[in-house]
Amino acid sequence: MSLRPALRSALRPAACAALFLLAAAPAAPASADPFETVTVDPTGYIAPDGTVTLSGTYRCLGSSGPVFVSSSVAQSSPNVRHGIGGTRAVCDGMEHRWQNTGKSSSDNLEPGAANVEATLMELSAQGGLPLPRFHAAQREDVTLTEG
């Protein structure tokens, strides 16, 4: 899903802050609410130019702000994660598919085993600042396949 440049620029600082908080936080349980879930497909794809595509499903209930499915991948070092895109989520209680595509800032991702983390996160305005509210998170071992 493509966001307009102005919206993308406005969301970038909040998304970076959320990723920082996510990286600094201990591993979250798979879901805060058993009816809110995010899954990761067992296969991801990496193009010859290094572009990675990850996918899965999500389900969330109501929200008061915009909700996104973000994803990151780790391969050679479990402590180094690469953000791979974000998809706007619809929190209507139904299961939906998500797919994120992005390119790592470094060229060190390659076909093979990897660990993917998907997070279903809402930007909730509190005191005028958008703060992350996590609906669900999941880490899965996957295989990145050339494609």
Side-chain angles (χ1 to χ4, degrees):
M1 175 177 207
S2 176
L3 296 175
R4 290 186 207 124
L7 180 58
R8 193 175 327 143
S9 295
L11 291 176
R12 187 172 293 135
C16 288
L19 285 174
F20 174 76
L21 289 173
L22 183 61
S31 177
D33 181 318
F35 298 106
E36 295 195 312
T37 60
V38 63
T39 69
V40 177
D41 289 341
T43 303
Y45 299 93
I46 185 163
D49 71 354
T51 300
V52 175
T53 301
L54 304 170
S55 58
T57 64
Y58 72 89
R59 178 177 52 205
C60 53
L61 303 173
S63 64
S64 60
V67 179
F68 298 90
V69 179
S70 63
S71 57
S72 65
V73 62
Q75 197 168 51
S76 58
S77 171
N79 297 326
V80 179
R81 301 196 74 79
H82 304 276
I84 305 296
T87 301
R88 184 82 187 254
V90 177
C91 290
D92 60 3
M94 304 295 293
E95 185 174 84
H96 298 277
R97 297 275 314 151
W98 64 269
Q99 179 176 306
N100 293 342
T101 301
K103 197 170 182 181
S104 168
S105 58
S106 62
D107 290 331
N108 58 354
L109 295 176
E110 57 188 37
N115 181 269
V116 171
E117 180 170 30
T119 305
L120 188 58
M121 181 201 65
E122 177 178 351
L123 292 177
S124 179
Q126 295 187 3
L129 295 174
L131 297 175
R133 177 178 161 242
F134 297 99
H135 288 257
Q138 185 67 41
R139 280 192 181 181
E140 290 291 334
D141 290 329
V142 304
T143 301
L144 293 181
T145 302
E146 267 189 70

